[in-house]
Amino acid sequence: MGKIKYLLLLIFNLVIVSGVYFYLLNTLHFFPIMAIYQIIALAGVCIYLFLFFHHNNEIGKAKMNGRELPEELLQKRRNRLKAVVILLSPFVFTVLADYIYLIFFVK
């Protein structure tokens, strides 16, 4: 997939996730949605960090042993990182946007 497709998919997911969040929060007053989104956002950050450090650790181990990892494996790991960003970062952005709104605009 090209970079534009990833960007469009990220924006689409962000609109869907944010729309569901604010709809449930404002119209139905479903306040547990805040905790659910916070848990998903925290899990997303932890999953991304784990995959990122695991990926870099494997590259470092291979270079220390004087060998290179196969390009197919590297591409597979890059695609997995991109998928995590596309699927879970909208939750992080939504929670951050809600916190910014609560801090600056709600009295």
Side-chain angles (χ1 to χ4, degrees):
M1 263 196 197
K3 292 180 182 181
I4 298 296
K5 290 181 182 179
Y6 280 124
L7 180 63
L8 291 175
L9 191 56
L10 179 65
I11 292 170
F12 177 73
N13 285 344
L14 182 62
V15 168
I16 296 295
V17 167
S18 299
V20 168
Y21 177 78
F22 289 113
Y23 174 76
L24 288 175
L25 194 61
N26 292 331
T27 358
L28 301 178
H29 301 291
F30 183 63
F31 291 114
I33 195 70
M34 294 174 79
I36 293 168
Y37 267 58
Q38 290 170 7
I39 291 169
I40 295 171
L42 183 61
V45 169
C46 291
I47 291 169
Y48 177 79
L49 286 174
F50 173 77
L51 290 175
F52 179 78
F53 287 128
H54 177 70
H55 176 68
N56 285 344
N57 189 33
E58 292 297 318
I59 293 173
K61 283 181 185 178
K63 289 196 184 244
M64 282 178 50
N65 293 332
R67 60 183 175 86
E68 293 289 326
L69 290 175
E71 187 61 35
E72 303 86 36
L73 181 64
L74 293 174
Q75 191 61 38
K76 180 181 171 185
R77 289 182 179 171
R78 284 187 210 118
N79 288 340
R80 190 179 311 148
L81 282 172
K82 289 176 187 176
V84 167
V85 168
I86 288 172
L87 294 176
L88 296 176
S89 66
F91 291 96
V92 175
F93 295 143
T94 302
V95 169
L96 286 176
D98 190 37
Y99 281 153
I100 291 170
Y101 171 75
L102 289 174
I103 289 173
F104 290 119
F105 299 114
V106 175
K107 295 183 182 187

